[in-house]
Amino acid sequence: MDFRVLGPIEAGPTAQVSGLGTPKQRALLSVLLLNANHIVSVNRLTGMLWDGPAPRSATANVYSYVAGVRRLLDSAGDAGRDRLITRMPGYLLRVRSDELDLSVFDRLATQGRAALRRSEHELAADCLSSALALWRGKPLEDVRVTPALVAPITALEGRRIDALNDLVQARLRMGLHKEVVGELRELVTTSPISELTWSQYMVALYRSGRKGEALGAYLDARRNLVSQTGVEPSTYLRRVHQAILADAPSTEVLEHCWRD
């Protein structure tokens, strides 16, 4: 079986992943997949599936949605009751790590980050590129997001940004600074208060012979940080800025751009 949450939620045989049924079934399966191999209580499920106070019928509805997900798994050639088991005070979804795209992403991202720290930059780039290729859109894209789902979805998006930053770092260390400028320009737009992303953008511009734009990027970063957080750039970002101002060797500037 394949289970996919890094985009529209999907489940089905490896060769034929199929979309899922009703909105509440998709939401329930989403919560179970985000907590794969852990018990999720009925109370927690009701809190995750409804926007406000759960209706009186919520517990009965959860039982119905569980039965529906089991039928979907059965129709996909899986034994629904063996996969989605009742375990007091709720339910547990059994998933092997190689069956869930999120687990594969985390494994590859961890391997890539470890390779990066060992200065194995090509291996790091390969692992991180493979990890990011698993993303098909926004996480749980076709699931109606309740307030309780906002935090886990935001956390997933944060993990993707971290992997992107690490991939950029590997490419910078491979000398591919010109190739990553465009990607970083998009990243600073989507993550306007990420000092790591801004520092990488500044370094990529500087190493591409665009010192003026690199210094301008620092001013943009400072403006975003002050307007959105009320805080001046940290010593970390100011250090990158000062190195560029001083026309430091590009390799030296890159060393300032490493995740602490």
Side-chain angles (χ1 to χ4, degrees):
M1 288 287 290
D2 273 347
F3 296 96
R4 301 179 184 176
V5 297
L6 303 179
I9 186 166
E10 296 178 335
T14 301
Q16 187 180 1
V17 175
S18 57
L20 294 174
T22 69
K24 280 292 194 288
Q25 287 174 348
R26 289 196 297 274
L28 180 133
L29 183 58
S30 299
V31 175
L32 292 171
L33 286 170
L34 293 179
N35 296 276
N37 303 309
H38 292 86
I39 298 169
V40 183
S41 70
V42 172
N43 284 342
R44 186 177 178 198
L45 286 169
T46 59
M48 300 288 279
L49 297 184
W50 279 272
D51 286 341
R56 291 183 179 180
S57 61
T59 298
N61 290 344
V62 167
Y63 296 156
S64 174
Y65 304 145
V66 167
V69 170
R70 283 173 173 158
R71 286 193 298 271
L72 287 167
L73 294 173
D74 288 338
S75 67
D78 205 23
R81 284 195 172 275
D82 293 336
R83 174 77 68 169
L84 175 50
I85 63 174
T86 302
R87 184 74 59 82
M88 293 299 293
Y91 299 94
L92 180 148
L93 184 64
R94 289 173 170 161
V95 181
R96 295 198 316 269
S97 61
D98 61 338
E99 292 179 315
L100 179 60
D101 60 354
L102 176 58
S103 297
V104 177
F105 166 79
D106 283 337
R107 174 172 54 79
L108 288 169
T110 298
Q111 291 173 352
R113 195 163 294 123
L116 186 56
R117 293 192 179 280
R118 297 193 303 268
S119 296
E120 297 175 5
H121 304 133
E122 291 187 12
L123 175 60
D126 286 345
C127 290
L128 291 160
S129 295
S130 296
L132 290 163
L134 295 169
W135 287 73
R136 297 166 292 113
K138 294 183 179 180
L140 306 178
E141 193 170 280
D142 58 345
V143 173
R144 188 170 185 276
V145 178
T146 61
L149 277 172
V150 171
I153 288 175
T154 300
L156 288 180
E157 292 172 336
R159 281 146 78 173
R160 177 177 174 273
I161 294 297
D162 286 345
L164 277 169
N165 284 137
D166 288 330
L167 176 58
V168 166
Q169 189 71 27
R171 288 175 173 168
L172 285 172
R173 288 178 175 270
M174 292 165 65
L176 303 177
H177 34 275
K178 292 181 180 178
E179 289 82 348
V180 300
V181 166
E183 186 174 0
L184 282 164
R185 187 181 299 112
E186 293 181 12
L187 273 176
V188 295
T189 300
T190 57
S191 303
I193 60 172
S194 169
E195 291 188 288
L196 174 60
T197 305
W198 278 108
S199 71
Q200 290 177 327
Y201 185 38
M202 291 161 59
V203 169
L205 288 168
Y206 181 62
R207 297 188 80 187
S208 299
R210 298 159 66 177
K211 177 181 176 180
E213 291 177 68
L215 295 174
Y218 175 78
L219 297 178
D220 291 338
R222 180 181 179 276
R223 183 170 56 251
N224 278 287
L225 287 164
V226 171
S227 66
Q228 296 191 37
T229 69
V231 176
E232 292 283 344
S234 68
T235 302
Y236 159 72
L237 191 58
R238 293 200 305 272
R239 195 167 59 230
V240 177
H241 179 231
Q242 289 298 320
I244 293 173
L245 274 175
D247 290 317
S250 61
T251 52
E252 179 183 326
V253 177
L254 179 57
E255 288 306 312
H256 292 308
C257 185
W258 178 242
R259 183 191 302 274
D260 290 335

